Amino acid sequence: MRPVRFVALGDSLTEGVGDFTDAGPRGWAALLAPSLGAGTEFTNLAVSGAQTRDVLERQTPAALALRPDLVAVVVGVNDTLRQTFDVRAVAARLDQVYGACVRQGATLLTACLPDPGAMLGLPSALATPLARRQRAVNAVVHALSDRYDAVHLHAADGGWIADRSLWSADRLHPGERGHRQLAVRFHALLAEAGRATGRPPSPEPEFPAPTRTAGLLWLATAGTAWVARRCRDLLPQLLALAAEELRHRARGTTARLDLHTTAAVSAALAALPEPRTGPAGPRAGRLEAGVG
């Protein structure tokens, strides 16, 4: 029996930011790979800052060329942090990525994610619009994961999200403990589906946690640069979204914003073409998803 070919697609989370070793970022996917079975062939194509467009246009063709058995696709947070956010475009791109992998015979590994505003501790008026966007992306990922029979992790759920010891200094990426938790949880789902035969990844960290000084140094250098890049792109629109949020709160009409998001998700899913069948046979039928 040939080794399992495991390819990971996505952004900085899957690239391994927050779980730094002497060789560079490692991350949950690299921690998971040895637990899939003996001789697993692992390739990490994830790139920090990637959006769904990058995964579709750059990472997916490279992944398919490797003829993978298992493909992890965890992406979407960066889309929510851009002025150009469009849930319909996100849904269309993810549908193409998922479909292409499944038609080639690969099993999909997906996850929904916590909203970045809450993780960063932003004021409510700023965090709520971001949370609404992330819930929309998660609803799309839920629906498409079901459509393509993906092994799906509800990574936006659970008390572990609130455990600060699992997160790195930037408050947005997991630290080593957090990456190990993701690997452990993905392994449990894969083992249940008969797709992992190795021992579970260890939840215990290999390296000491960064000191407070090291964390502050990171925030003052790389962290500040990250914030500056996001502010140029997102901040003007986020301030406008916050102003809209406050106006609706004053009028008692905040529910309209939630209803608008739910309608946008429904329209995005309804606009997707019927799935083309392949070796794994995606589920047919209507796509539905709520935003909650």
Side-chain angles (χ1 to χ4, degrees):
M1 181 180 295
R2 69 173 177 81
V4 173
R5 295 173 183 159
F6 173 34
V7 179
L9 313 181
D11 53 29
S12 56
L13 173 67
T14 302
E15 184 187 35
V17 172
D19 178 27
F20 295 107
T21 69
D22 292 340
R26 177 178 51 183
W28 68 266
L31 291 165
L32 172 65
S35 297
L36 298 177
T40 296
E41 298 175 358
F42 173 60
T43 304
N44 195 344
L45 298 175
V47 176
S48 182
Q51 300 176 59
T52 51
R53 180 186 297 277
D54 302 304
V55 170
L56 173 62
E57 296 178 354
R58 302 174 186 175
Q59 297 180 24
T60 299
L64 296 178
L66 297 171
R67 309 296 298 181
D69 304 293
L70 179 67
V71 179
V73 183
V74 182
V75 68
V77 170
N78 286 314
D79 290 79
T80 71
L81 298 174
R82 297 299 193 278
Q83 279 187 321
T84 53
F85 176 72
D86 179 357
V87 72
R88 185 164 179 160
V90 168
R93 292 169 190 150
L94 288 179
D95 185 59
Q96 292 179 68
V97 172
Y98 290 7
C101 295
V102 167
R103 284 192 297 274
Q104 192 168 285
T107 296
L108 277 173
L109 194 60
T110 63
C112 58
L113 299 170
D115 73 89
M119 296 310 302
L120 290 169
L122 296 179
S124 176
L126 295 173
T128 301
L130 286 182
R132 199 174 283 115
R133 286 183 171 189
Q134 188 61 50
R135 288 198 302 272
V137 171
N138 285 344
V140 166
V141 171
H142 282 305
L144 293 180
S145 295
D146 185 63
R147 184 184 212 186
Y148 290 103
D149 292 317
V151 176
H152 180 67
L153 176 65
H154 294 268
D157 303 332
W160 71 282
I161 295 295
D163 185 348
R164 295 306 313 170
S165 71
L166 300 179
W167 296 88
S168 64
D170 67 4
R171 291 188 160 197
L172 192 62
H173 299 95
E176 183 186 355
R177 284 183 179 273
H179 278 283
R180 286 186 176 277
Q181 277 296 312
L182 289 171
V184 166
R185 290 165 187 260
F186 271 123
H187 179 270
L189 293 174
L190 287 165
E192 183 179 352
R195 298 307 308 267
T197 59
R199 293 172 58 86
S202 171
E204 297 303 320
E206 179 182 358
F207 302 101
T211 64
R212 180 174 176 79
T213 300
L216 291 174
L217 179 62
W218 187 94
L219 287 173
T221 54
T224 300
W226 184 90
V227 170
R229 289 194 299 271
R230 292 292 76 78
C231 285
R232 286 196 300 270
D233 182 68
L234 176 67
L235 188 56
Q237 187 189 40
L238 186 55
L239 292 176
L241 291 172
E244 182 183 24
E245 188 78 27
L246 291 173
R247 284 196 299 271
H248 277 276
R249 287 184 188 180
R251 298 169 185 166
T253 57
T254 303
R256 292 182 183 176
L257 295 173
D258 296 323
L259 290 172
H260 176 76
T261 300
T262 300
V265 170
S266 297
L269 295 174
L272 297 177
E274 287 296 316
R276 290 154 49 195
T277 58
R283 295 181 185 176
R286 184 176 57 176
L287 284 173
E288 295 181 349
V291 182

